Amino acid sequence: MKKYVVLLLTAVALMSAGKQDGAITKEDGATVVNTTTIAKDVEGYNGPVPLKIYIKKNKIEKIEILKNQETPKYMVKVKNALLTAWNGLTVKEAKAKKVDGVTGATFTSEAIKENIQRGLDYYQKNK
């Protein structure tokens, strides 16, 4: 009997651990999706380009780039030209939106677009 109780407790702990990966948090009334863990295999030119996606009332408020190894000069271009393209859209609209990348920062642009897609998918499954 003791063996079954231990197995049951282990199973419960493992099931609850999956939802506590820190990818979704709350901040100032918005749900924030952090793509650090859910898109760790998505790489720009010099490595992963994790994001924070702020969603309030099912609309994208803003997207922030987190610490990365990309060239700062290109990250400024990407930030100015790409990140605001999803602001104000519903999650459904944002997932369907086709956004052009930034010339000269193709790998980084593609990584950001993939991070956004994965973050929005994760949000829809776990909100």
Side-chain angles (χ1 to χ4, degrees):
M1 180 70 167
K2 187 176 181 181
K3 183 178 180 180
Y4 294 111
V5 171
V6 171
L7 286 173
L8 179 63
L9 291 174
T10 302
V12 169
L14 288 173
M15 289 184 341
S16 65
K19 291 292 180 190
Q20 297 179 1
D21 58 6
I24 290 186
T25 58
K26 297 285 186 183
E27 195 174 308
D28 295 327
T31 300
V32 182
V33 180
N34 183 324
T35 66
T36 300
T37 58
I38 58 178
K40 62 185 170 192
D41 61 322
V42 177
E43 295 196 357
Y45 189 74
N46 288 318
V49 187
L51 307 172
K52 273 189 174 181
I53 305 167
Y54 292 78
I55 303 166
K56 195 173 203 176
K57 296 182 181 176
N58 205 44
K59 287 189 175 185
I60 310 298
E61 273 195 327
K62 66 180 177 177
I63 299 171
E64 292 179 353
I65 300 172
L66 299 175
K67 186 177 179 180
N68 60 75
Q69 299 300 312
E70 300 298 284
T71 306
K73 173 175 119 178
Y74 292 111
M75 290 308 290
V76 169
K77 286 174 114 177
V78 168
K79 184 177 179 180
N80 292 335
L82 190 63
L83 288 187
T84 58
W86 291 272
N87 289 356
L89 299 177
T90 66
V91 171
K92 185 177 179 180
E93 291 168 338
K95 285 183 66 172
K97 185 168 179 82
K98 302 295 182 213
V99 177
D100 291 332
V102 175
T103 303
T106 306
F107 290 115
T108 304
S109 297
E110 293 302 318
I112 286 174
K113 291 191 289 185
E114 180 62 24
N115 266 272
I116 291 169
Q117 286 299 313
R118 288 197 192 183
L120 296 176
D121 287 343
Y122 191 88
Y123 170 79
Q124 285 185 316
K125 291 176 187 167
N126 297 285
K127 61 181 172 181

